[in-house]
Amino acid sequence: MTTPTQALSDAGVSIWLDDLSRSRLTDGSLKALIEEKNVVGVTTNPTIFHLAITKGHGYDAQLAELAAAGADVEHAVFELTTADVADACDLFAPVAEATGGVDGRVSIEVDPRLAWDTAATIAEAKKLHAKVGRDNVHIKIPATLEGLEAITETLGAGISVNVTLIFSLTRYRAVVNAYLLGLEKAKANGHDLSQIHSVASFFVSRVDTEIDRRLEAIGTEEAAALKGQAGLANARLAYQVYQEEFSSERFRLLADAGARPQRPLWASTGVKDPNLPDTLYVTGLVAPGVVNTMPEKTLEATYDHAQVTGDTVTGTYAEANAHLDALAALGIDYNDVVAVLESEGLEKFVASWNELLGDIEAGLAQASAAKGV
């Protein structure tokens, strides 16, 4: 009997887990998700690492070693996170080999405090890539205006990139342009384009959270009827952009040199409104050549009861545009919505990173005191 996750994979959707921890690596649970639930990649972010490292005792031994070596907090966090990502890359290496590097990817994000600093982001991306030292790592770079050049330069150095925190269609087009520029630079620099991979992480549920809040403030029946639909509409129109951009003559010339399309990745696919179906952002975004990165709760719901009916994106563009037009007619400013979401997303990641630094600093001090250092 075909499981829903197998049906999703058969429909052309790569399932990645939006979570990573040392316990997942050591207790075999991540390996089980690969074998049983069609998981073929992993994404991480500062919030995920903060939760992983500050829960339980899986990192105590390495933290004690770092304290004994006199590591400062920045170095300690760098060592802790890259160790997990390198081990996860090794676990997914067979998947990467079987798919030509398309899947089997593990993402690690640059320090989110650097999101507005192009040069520092480039330097951090190269440092992370060198430290992890695995071909199937993705370096995550936020799609801020300052991040666009960093994306291009990182790709130009032959490093695979996961572009994160994309909310707007306009910014997504700029991300695709940054990717193509990066490939052009990589080609000029003598890199094998077939070895460079990228995904563009388009966030979904947070769009509904923000727009539904504004619809509730309007308070009319007309506004209520539009709730819970903008996230899908926005993502579906992103797929239309993907189809347009990667059927262009510009990309064809790069493809002839071995380049691959930058795949759309649906992120933030856990449903935040309990009134919505818990697999909405999975079954509503089925299309060939995409990635859906799911928190474990969404993955389990998908495996248990998702109804996968084939492509639910292609051919929906007129309806999606009509929905965004209806929102605009009610006075909801799309550009303001996506600007707020980008700002809030970065603020959340920076806050998580700062909390992680504080907790690790305390952990280092505690370990040093225990050893009498």
Side-chain angles (χ1 to χ4, degrees), residues 39-304:
V39 170
V40 291
V42 159
T43 52
T44 68
N45 61 46
T47 302
I48 285 170
F49 274 128
H50 177 240
L51 292 173
I53 294 174
T54 57
K55 180 181 177 182
H57 300 283
Y59 298 85
D60 289 357
Q62 188 180 5
L63 196 59
E65 292 174 4
L66 289 163
D72 63 23
V73 63
E74 301 277 351
H75 180 68
V77 169
F78 184 81
E79 292 292 325
L80 292 167
T81 56
T82 54
D84 278 2
V85 169
D87 287 345
C89 283
D90 290 343
L91 179 62
F92 279 97
V95 177
E97 184 175 359
T99 61
V102 172
D103 284 314
R105 316 295 303 193
V106 182
S107 297
I108 184 170
E109 189 161 341
V110 296
D111 182 334
R113 298 170 300 175
L114 306 178
W116 303 274
D117 186 330
T118 301
T121 294
I122 296 167
E124 177 83 353
K126 291 179 177 178
K127 183 180 176 185
L128 285 168
H129 181 259
K131 177 63 178 180
V132 174
R134 307 293 192 276
D135 291 339
N136 55 327
V137 68
H138 264 152
I139 307 302
K140 283 180 87 170
I141 298 176
T144 56
L145 289 173
E146 296 84 355
L148 294 173
E149 183 182 346
I151 292 160
T152 293
E153 293 301 319
T154 303
L155 289 161
I159 297 171
S160 296
V161 173
N162 176 341
V163 183
T164 190
L165 283 174
I166 308 171
F167 296 97
S168 91
L169 296 165
T170 300
R171 185 62 57 81
Y172 177 43
R173 287 190 184 274
V175 165
V176 174
N177 181 60
Y179 174 65
L180 297 176
L181 282 171
L183 291 180
E184 288 159 355
K185 280 182 173 284
K187 183 181 178 184
N189 291 336
H191 292 290
D192 180 354
L193 298 190
S194 69
Q195 300 304 305
I196 300 173
H197 298 262
S198 185
V199 292
S201 296
F202 208 88
F203 280 53
V204 185
S205 68
R206 295 187 194 184
V207 173
D208 275 335
T209 300
E210 179 62 22
I211 287 182
D212 287 359
R213 183 185 66 79
R214 298 184 186 207
L215 289 169
E216 288 172 4
I218 293 170
T220 65
E221 288 186 11
E222 183 183 10
L226 296 175
K227 288 180 60 181
Q229 301 168 58
L232 289 182
N234 199 41
R236 286 167 173 169
L237 291 173
Y239 192 76
Q240 182 183 33
V241 172
Y242 162 75
Q243 289 179 310
E244 292 170 356
E245 295 288 347
F246 290 100
S247 60
S248 68
E249 177 66 12
R250 182 184 182 190
F251 179 68
R252 188 190 66 76
L253 293 172
L254 290 164
D256 288 345
R260 303 169 186 267
Q262 180 187 52
R263 292 193 293 168
L265 179 150
W266 311 132
S268 184
T269 56
V271 173
K272 301 199 171 41
D273 181 348
N275 296 313
L276 295 174
D278 56 4
T279 62
L280 177 66
Y281 304 125
V282 177
T283 59
L285 293 173
V286 178
V290 303
V291 179
N292 194 309
T293 183
M294 308 178 198
E296 187 170 25
K297 183 178 179 181
T298 303
L299 174 63
E300 293 297 336
T302 298
Y303 181 80
D304 180 66

Side-chain angles (χ1 to χ4, degrees), residues 45-51 112 346-359:
N45 61 46
T47 302
I48 285 170
F49 274 128
H50 177 240
L51 292 173
L346 287 166
E347 286 172 6
K348 288 176 183 175
F349 282 168
V350 169
S352 292
W353 197 252
N354 285 332
E355 289 173 13
L356 175 59
L357 290 171
D359 289 338

